């Protein structure tokens, strides 16, 4: 018998991806999937892909008793998770949150970009969930859970994940000018905007179109700055592409004075950095990541090159619902529960 798991907000894109992953996970037993809007509806009726996979029906948030669960994944809007997490943790349940509510360490920064934080005590103890870059926090959370504590993980967002995986090795190696701006241009599929259609994500407007949005104001900016130590130096511009799934971030990093690595040296540096990260692949010199090569998975591809203008150009490709959301949540839960981090996440993308 595995660990009893539940998903709150299971009808949305990230939530139903959690249902997909947990339905076949060898150690987490999916016992509840909540959606107030679809309560009582069999999952297979809303998402026929689950025919023959699960007999679960959606339940309401409030009528689902999670007190006997080992872990609950929150796939709810920002500001909702901070209202749910305290009661779950008080009941001894480990919480893995996919929203932004427990990512930013400074409550003043959260308030600036979102709203006043109502659970700052939990914010201070939450482990940041980007395993390849914050493994120490997750390892400490695993120790606390093994000692009988309920723990909280705030999973990294999709844009911060791709951008940070691409840029972190160069920054942490001291190859990047510590006084110059870093530019990140990222492109995401439409599922990254959530299930509810808007004027921007409506098929007729999103199809055959590519546009920037949130220029200079996107909420993932402070999260990327926090991960990479770029406070006040990040120029982040997200773009919407007519894809269902996939995210590509291209990061331009000015070389530090005196730094003159070759592309081949950077590739080796990146491979050493991610040597213990089974879900990150560093591409050969001259080869760039592709979103199609990671779609449907929790894998990331990273490419890096030296630009003759004295820049490093690093690229990261992920599935925004996989490594950028649900897959990352399961990866973090695996670590917290002492499982191999790839447990239930071994799939590869369709080759064509």
């Amino acid at each position: 018998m595995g660990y009893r798991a539940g998903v709150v907000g299971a009808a949305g894109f990230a939530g139903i991806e959690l249902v997909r992953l947990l339905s076949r996970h060898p150690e987490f037993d999916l016992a509840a999937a909540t959606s107030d809007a679809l309560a009582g509806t069999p999952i297979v009726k809303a998402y026929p892909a689950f025919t023959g996979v699960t007999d679960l029906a959606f339940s309401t948030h409030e009528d689902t008793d999670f007190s006997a669960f080992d872990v609950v994944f929150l796939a709810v809007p920002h500001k909702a998770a901070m209202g749910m997490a305290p009661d779950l943790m008080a009941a001894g349940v480990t919480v893995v949150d996919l929203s932004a509510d427990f990512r930013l360490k400074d409550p003043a920064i959260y308030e600036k970009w979102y709203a006043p934080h109502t659970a700052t005590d939990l914010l201070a103890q939450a482990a940041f969930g980007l395993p390849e870059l914050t493994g120490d926090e997750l390892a400490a959370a695993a120790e606390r859970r093994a000692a009988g504590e309920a723990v909280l993980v705030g999973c990294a967002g999709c844009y911060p994940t791709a951008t940070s995986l691409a840029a972190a090795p160069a920054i942490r190696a001291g190859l990047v000018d510590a006084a110059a701006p870093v530019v990140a241009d990222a492109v995401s599929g439409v599922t990254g905007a959530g299930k509810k259609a808007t004027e921007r994500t409506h098929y007729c407007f999103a199809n055959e179109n590519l546009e920037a949005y949130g220029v200079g104001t996107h909420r993932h900016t402070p999260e990327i700055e926090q991960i990479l130590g770029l406070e006040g130096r990040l120029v982040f511009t997200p773009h919407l592409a007519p894809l269902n799934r996939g995210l590509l971030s291209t990061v331009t990093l000015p070389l530090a004075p005196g730094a003159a690595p070759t592309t081949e040296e950077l590739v080796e540096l990146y491979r050493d950095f991610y040597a213990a990260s089974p879900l990150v692949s560093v591409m050969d010199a001259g080869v760039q990541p592709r979103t199609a090569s990671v779609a449907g998975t929790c894998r990331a591809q990273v490419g890096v090159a030296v630009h003759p203008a004295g820049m490093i150009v690093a690229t990261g490709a992920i599935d925004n619902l996989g490594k950028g959301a649900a897959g990352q949540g399961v990866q973090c839960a695996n670590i917290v529960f002492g499982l191999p981090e790839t447990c239930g996440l071994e799939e590869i993308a369709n080759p064509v």
Side-chain angles (χ1 to χ4, degrees), residues 158 188-193 244-247 318-326:
C158 53
S188 175
V190 180
T191 53
N244 284 349
R245 305 167 68 126
L247 191 156
I318 63 171
D319 182 328
N320 55 286
L321 294 181
K323 182 60 175 159

Side-chain angles (χ1 to χ4, degrees), residues 6-10 14-15 18 22 34 61 66 71-89 93-103 122 152-155 325-326 329:
V7 178
V8 178
L18 278 167
L22 294 171
T34 79
H61 307 329
F66 287 113
V71 59
V72 169
F73 296 84
L74 300 181
V76 295
H78 310 314
K79 300 184 285 187
M82 71 175 86
M84 298 179 179
D87 288 342
L88 289 168
M89 294 187 68
V93 180
T94 287
V95 175
V96 179
D97 177 31
L98 270 59
S99 82
D101 284 1
F102 296 100
R103 296 174 187 164
L122 293 184
L152 169 64
V153 177
C155 293

